Amino acid sequence: MTTTGEDHTRAPTGPWWWERRRGAVLDGALALVSALECGAEGIPFARDADVPLWLGVVFGLLVGSVLLVRRKWPVAVVLVSIAVTPAQMGFLMGIVGLYTLAACELPRRVIVALAGMSLVGTMIVTFVRVRQDMASGDLTLGDWFVPFAAVATSLGVTAPPLLLGLYVGARRRLMESLRERADSLERELQLLAERAEERAEWARSEERTRIAREMHDVVAHRVSLMVVHAAALQAVARKDPEKAVRNAALVGDMGRQALTELREMLGVLRSGEDGARRRVEPVPVVVPLAAVGAAAEAAASKAAAEVVVVDGPWLSELEELVGQSAAAGMVVALSVEGELRSYPAEVEQTAYRVVQEALTNVHKHAAGAKTYVRLAHRSAEIAMQVENDSPPEPGSASAGLPSGGNGLVGMRERVVALGGVFVSGPTDAGGFRVSAVIPAA
């Protein structure tokens, strides 16, 4: 199967050992002409051998018809032609037999041996015949003509069909090799295309997971704080109007921040989709076949590497994040060890999201519990820990906030993707602890 879709390995359509019907017709025609030639040459052979003429003709017809099996048994055809060389018959059979022998998939030593036998046989027979003709007076040339005629005749009968057969056989083998290489290339291209499709599907799946995780982090924290402030607003609306007003303002600010972050994320995603549409517009360009595999591999690598990144958040905004939780009524303490320095964007965003999601979980499951946020800047890594005490009122700890169970999973995925370590679980005091260590590089 080649790149054009044509199958070159066709099933044989001819009779017996012929692959095609026209090959059988050609061999039949050659055998008929050879039989007629040998039959005509059998008449002088019968006279010289002093046998009946009909026997010489029948013998010639049988010898010439051997050419019919030249494709299946080329060695037999050449041996028969060598055997009847002294009878001066089988001229066509010898030439076609040598051509077929040289073009076949036979060892070179066999071809050389049979061609040498044919050359020597023709040379000897020609030498004897020319010498007899000169002795009888039919030729009056010098003695030099006898070896010259023998060598020239033997080379003229043997060399051209042998060289032509070698050329045709080499060309045939070259075409088969090229066809096999084309088939192999097509299979490799197909494997590359399948691999590219798998990698593209994997990249799409990873991108969907990342977008879902980002949306969860953006929405869950803001909405959780809004729900907590709304509950506080409902409790103090009549007792302390000024505090109710402050809580309402905080709810509005958080709602606007959540909408702003969502708009930024959706805007980046939409622009990425528009760029993808522009990239896939069909362009009538003819490319070489060998470039298809490289293009497919490059496209898969590009699809796997392209990630939509939203600017921020940064570790410098961590105090503001903790302040928002404190404004919502959480008793939270922030401690930072080491000197703040710049990290890669994905490291800072992951560290911020871990703290953010951990505080959101405290709002959901341990409202009113004292919380400790610890951040440590180390030489080759950054470590963070969010730990809360046991809630004062376990019965009302959730504050009516739903939980999808994806927060811890998302945090673990973020940290592990950067080569870090993530640990979470309950403490002996009845609280909960979330710890993560992320390489700085």
Side-chain angles (χ1 to χ4, degrees):
M1 185 75 70
T2 63
T3 55
T4 59
E6 181 182 358
D7 191 359
H8 288 275
T9 57
R10 300 190 182 104
T13 57
W16 295 340
W17 56 82
W18 287 280
E19 293 183 358
R20 299 179 183 179
R21 201 174 292 273
R22 63 181 182 182
V25 173
L26 175 61
D27 290 352
L30 290 175
L32 178 61
V33 174
S34 177
L36 294 177
E37 176 205 349
C38 292
E41 293 170 345
I43 297 175
F45 169 71
R47 291 173 181 171
D48 294 341
D50 196 16
V51 297
L53 293 180
W54 65 268
L55 185 59
V57 173
V58 171
F59 175 74
L61 292 175
L62 293 177
V63 169
S65 62
V66 173
L67 195 58
L68 187 67
V69 297
R70 71 180 184 93
R71 296 179 190 266
K72 190 171 181 62
W73 295 298
V75 176
V77 174
V78 175
L79 289 175
V80 171
S81 67
I82 295 174
V84 299
T85 300
Q88 291 185 311
M89 64 172 60
F91 178 77
L92 178 62
M93 181 173 60
I95 293 177
V96 177
L98 285 175
Y99 164 80
T100 307
L101 178 70
C104 287
E105 298 289 339
L106 291 175
R108 287 297 177 87
R109 60 179 182 274
V110 176
I111 297 175
V112 172
L114 292 176
M117 292 171 59
S118 177
L119 177 68
V120 172
T122 305
M123 186 183 301
I124 293 175
V125 171
T126 305
F127 184 89
V128 172
R129 290 294 182 179
V130 172
R131 191 175 184 83
Q132 289 178 352
D133 292 340
M134 292 186 65
S136 61
D138 295 337
L139 293 175
T140 58
L141 298 175
D143 294 337
W144 61 268
F145 182 74
V146 176
F148 173 78
V151 172
T153 303
S154 59
L155 289 177
V157 173
T158 306
L162 183 66
L163 295 177
L164 180 61
L166 290 175
Y167 168 76
V168 172
R171 184 175 180 275
R172 186 182 301 164
R173 287 186 291 272
L174 176 62
M175 295 301 295
E176 290 294 334
S177 175
L178 293 177
R179 188 176 297 119
E180 290 177 0
R181 291 180 61 183
D183 294 341
S184 176
L185 178 60
E186 184 180 11
R187 287 191 295 269
E188 291 178 2
L189 292 179
Q190 186 176 2
L191 290 176
L192 283 176
E194 293 176 357
R195 187 181 303 172
E197 182 62 27
E198 292 176 358
R199 294 186 62 181
E201 182 62 29
W202 172 83
R204 287 192 293 266
S205 176
E206 288 293 318
E207 186 64 11
R208 285 194 295 267
T209 303
R210 193 196 66 82
I211 293 173
R213 185 168 57 240
E214 196 73 24
M215 296 286 286
H216 174 271
D217 292 341
V218 169
V219 175
H221 180 73
R222 301 293 184 189
V223 174
S224 298
L225 293 180
M226 291 171 63
V227 172
V228 172
H229 280 292
L233 178 63
Q234 183 180 6
V236 303
R238 295 181 181 180
K239 298 179 182 180
D240 192 349
E242 293 182 0
K243 187 175 183 180
V245 171
R246 290 195 300 271
N247 287 342
L250 287 174
V251 171
D253 291 340
M254 292 176 185
R256 283 188 290 273
Q257 290 176 4
L259 288 175
T260 300
E261 293 183 3
L262 286 175
R263 287 194 187 99
E264 290 178 356
M265 182 178 297
L266 294 176
V268 173
L269 293 176
R270 187 174 293 110
S271 63
E273 292 178 357
D274 294 340
R277 292 193 189 99
R278 287 193 295 270
R279 285 194 299 269
V280 299
E281 289 181 357
V283 180
V285 178
V286 178
V287 296
L289 178 62
V292 177
E297 186 71 15
S301 301
K302 186 176 181 181
E306 285 185 348
V307 176
V308 179
V309 178
V310 180
D311 293 337
W314 311 103
L315 286 177
S316 59
E317 305 173 9
L318 197 59
E319 293 185 3
E320 180 182 354
L321 176 67
V322 174
Q324 292 174 356
S325 295
M330 178 186 293
V331 181
V332 56
L334 172 64
S335 63
V336 180
E337 299 178 4
E339 184 179 356
L340 178 63
R341 63 181 187 275
S342 61
Y343 297 96
E346 59 271 16
V347 174
E348 292 204 23
Q349 294 169 13
T350 300
Y352 182 94
R353 293 302 187 192
V354 168
V355 176
Q356 183 186 55
E357 182 60 30
L359 292 176
T360 301
N361 288 340
V362 175
H363 283 293
K364 290 181 179 180
H365 307 292
K370 188 174 183 180
T371 306
Y372 305 92
V373 178
R374 302 180 180 89
L375 185 67
H377 299 280
R378 300 170 183 170
S379 59
E381 60 189 15
I382 178 173
M384 65 224 66
Q385 184 183 87
V386 179
E387 180 180 353
N388 62 274
D389 296 337
S390 177
E393 299 179 4
S396 60
S398 65
L401 292 172
S403 176
N406 296 319
L408 294 176
V409 176
M411 285 189 284
R412 183 182 301 277
E413 290 176 350
R414 285 179 178 272
V415 174
V416 173
L418 296 179
V421 179
F422 179 85
V423 179
S424 62
T427 61
D428 296 336
F432 199 85
R433 181 187 297 118
V434 173
S435 302
V437 178
I438 305 175

